[in-house]
Amino acid sequence: MKDARADGMDEAALEGFLHEHFPQVAGEFAVDRVTGDGVMVRLRVGDRHLRPGGTVSGPSMFALADVGAYLAILSRIGPVALAVTTNCSIDFMRKPAPGADLLCETRILKLGRALAVTDCLLHSEGTEAPVARASLTYSIPPRP
């Protein structure tokens, strides 16, 4: 199920971590699965995520990509709360399907001691065509 380091985290541990450290947004995201090279994270789309015209807002899609990258990294290194985003580039490609949750498939491209590079592909549930693609780099604090 999971090809991770011994100190990594599974789906339940990642969701528990979100609820403990980020209770303000934890209920908006769900970890669908930990994969061999990352995670699949879901944004439970609600009215608060919509912009005029009824589509999911760019900031909501950015949040999903950022959370996906963060959780993918934690799935490998364990609960490191102070890992932080240092760079993000996001391409918005098409309008998400109305009323559907958004899914973020995150792959870890490089995991070093100090930096991690990820690639995120976002799509509406039930469709394969991506709505956005993001590349995120995270800084990992020194560990004892």
Side-chain angles (χ1 to χ4, degrees), residues 73-93:
I73 294 162
L74 297 188
S75 77
R76 300 311 190 267
I77 67 172
V80 180
L82 296 179
V84 295
T85 310
T86 60
N87 188 56
C88 176
S89 174
I90 189 166
D91 298 305
F92 300 102
M93 296 184 278

Side-chain angles (χ1 to χ4, degrees), residues 20-71:
E20 180 180 346
H21 295 279
F22 301 96
Q24 66 276 23
V25 297
E28 295 182 22
F29 301 98
V31 180
D32 282 7
R33 69 181 174 275
V34 174
T35 66
D37 58 357
V39 296
M40 178 73 75
V41 177
R42 168 184 308 269
L43 172 64
R44 297 178 177 121
V45 175
D47 288 341
R48 67 191 166 281
H49 302 113
L50 303 181
R51 62 176 301 261
T55 189
V56 177
S57 70
S60 294
M61 287 191 268
F62 169 82
L64 175 59
D66 195 36
V67 169
Y70 186 58
L71 294 179

